């Protein structure tokens, strides 16, 4: 009886810890989705967005896309409806994106994807060597808060400029 009770307590504690951990990841992704939304609002693409039917945020991480769909429901960017899209990491699927978010779970795929063009696509990630690997913006945790760093030259090379308002909030890195 005591062993059964101990087993049930262990299972309950494991379930509680798992749900708290999953909830923390969901909250972090909701916050990062909000950052992506604001990066889109304060970014300027050299190629006009006027002829697009929607503004598309892409990621190869299904969990992130599900969270972003919830967090960014019915939002618009520059008068375009915001659409979150699950993609594979190849030149064809990335072509229809305005922003690509590479989570730490998909970073290895990003490194081996051999994407040849990211013109007019803002590439954002959360892995340590993301900017060194060609990314434009990287999220990191500092004192328990989500912060970000930006490589403005890499953004400019992709045909995108970021507002000085956002740059003042970022850690600016040169590569």
């Amino acid at each position: 009886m005591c062993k059964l009770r101990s087993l049930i307590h262990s299972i309950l504690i494991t379930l509680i810890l798992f749900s708290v951990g999953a909830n923390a990841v969901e909250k972090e992704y909701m916050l990062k989705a909000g950052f992506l939304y604001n990066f889109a609002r304060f970014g300027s693409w050299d190629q006009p967005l006027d002829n697009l039917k929607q503004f598309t945020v892409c990621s190869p991480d299904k969990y992130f896309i599900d969270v972003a769909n919830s967090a960014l429901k019915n939002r618009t960017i520059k008068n375009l409806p915001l659409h979150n899209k699950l993609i594979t990491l190849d030149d064809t699927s990335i072509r229809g994106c305005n922003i690509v978010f590479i989570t730490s779970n998909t970073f290895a795929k990003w490194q081996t994807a051999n994407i040849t063009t990211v013109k007019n696509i803002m590439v954002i990630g959360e892995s340590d060597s993301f900017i060194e690997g060609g990314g434009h913006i990287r999220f990191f945790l500092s004192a328990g808060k989500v912060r970000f760093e930006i490589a403005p030259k890499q953004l400019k090379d992709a045909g995108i400029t970021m507002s000085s308002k956002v740059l003042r909030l970022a850690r600016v890195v040169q590569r």
Side-chain angles (χ1 to χ4, degrees), residues 36 39-40 45 55-58 97-101 121-122 124:
L36 296 182
F39 294 153
W45 279 253
F55 188 95
T56 307
V57 173
C58 301
C97 304
N98 301 103
I99 291 179
V100 174
F101 181 56
I121 302 170
M122 188 182 295
I124 303 167

Side-chain angles (χ1 to χ4, degrees), residues 14-32 63 67 70:
T14 303
L15 288 173
I16 289 169
L17 289 175
F18 178 74
S19 68
V20 168
N23 198 12
V25 171
E26 183 177 349
K27 285 180 183 178
E28 184 177 329
Y29 277 175
M30 286 185 123
L31 183 61
K32 289 176 179 179
Y63 185 67
V67 172
S70 173

Side-chain angles (χ1 to χ4, degrees), residues 110-122:
W110 168 256
Q111 288 182 305
T112 59
N114 197 23
I115 306 291
T116 58
T117 181
V118 290
K119 210 62 169 150
N120 291 303
I121 302 170
M122 188 182 295

Side-chain angles (χ1 to χ4, degrees), residues 4-98:
L4 180 61
R5 184 176 298 162
S6 178
L7 179 64
I8 291 172
H9 282 254
S10 295
I11 291 171
L12 285 175
I13 289 171
T14 303
L15 288 173
I16 289 169
L17 289 175
F18 178 74
S19 68
V20 168
N23 198 12
V25 171
E26 183 177 349
K27 285 180 183 178
E28 184 177 329
Y29 277 175
M30 286 185 123
L31 183 61
K32 289 176 179 179
F35 273 109
L36 296 182
Y37 174 72
N38 283 307
F39 294 153
R41 288 182 49 224
F42 291 101
S44 296
W45 279 253
D46 288 351
Q47 187 176 42
L49 302 174
D50 301 340
N51 54 354
L52 299 177
K53 293 182 179 164
Q54 61 192 13
F55 188 95
T56 307
V57 173
C58 301
S59 179
D61 189 315
K62 182 177 180 347
Y63 185 67
F64 173 77
I65 292 298
D66 291 343
V67 172
N69 281 334
S70 173
L72 302 175
K73 192 175 187 176
N74 299 323
R75 299 283 182 168
T76 60
I77 300 291
K78 304 182 190 308
N79 296 320
L80 296 170
L82 178 63
H83 175 70
N84 299 300
K85 180 179 177 184
L86 181 65
I87 60 166
T88 56
L89 287 173
D90 58 54
D91 280 329
T92 304
S93 64
I94 202 171
R95 201 172 288 132
C97 304
N98 301 103

Side-chain angles (χ1 to χ4, degrees), residues 125-126 138-142 145-149 171:
E126 57 185 6
R138 179 184 79 92
F139 291 116
F140 63 94
L141 293 176
S142 176
K145 295 184 179 188
V146 175
R147 305 284 188 209
F148 59 95
E149 60 185 8
R171 177 171 43 180

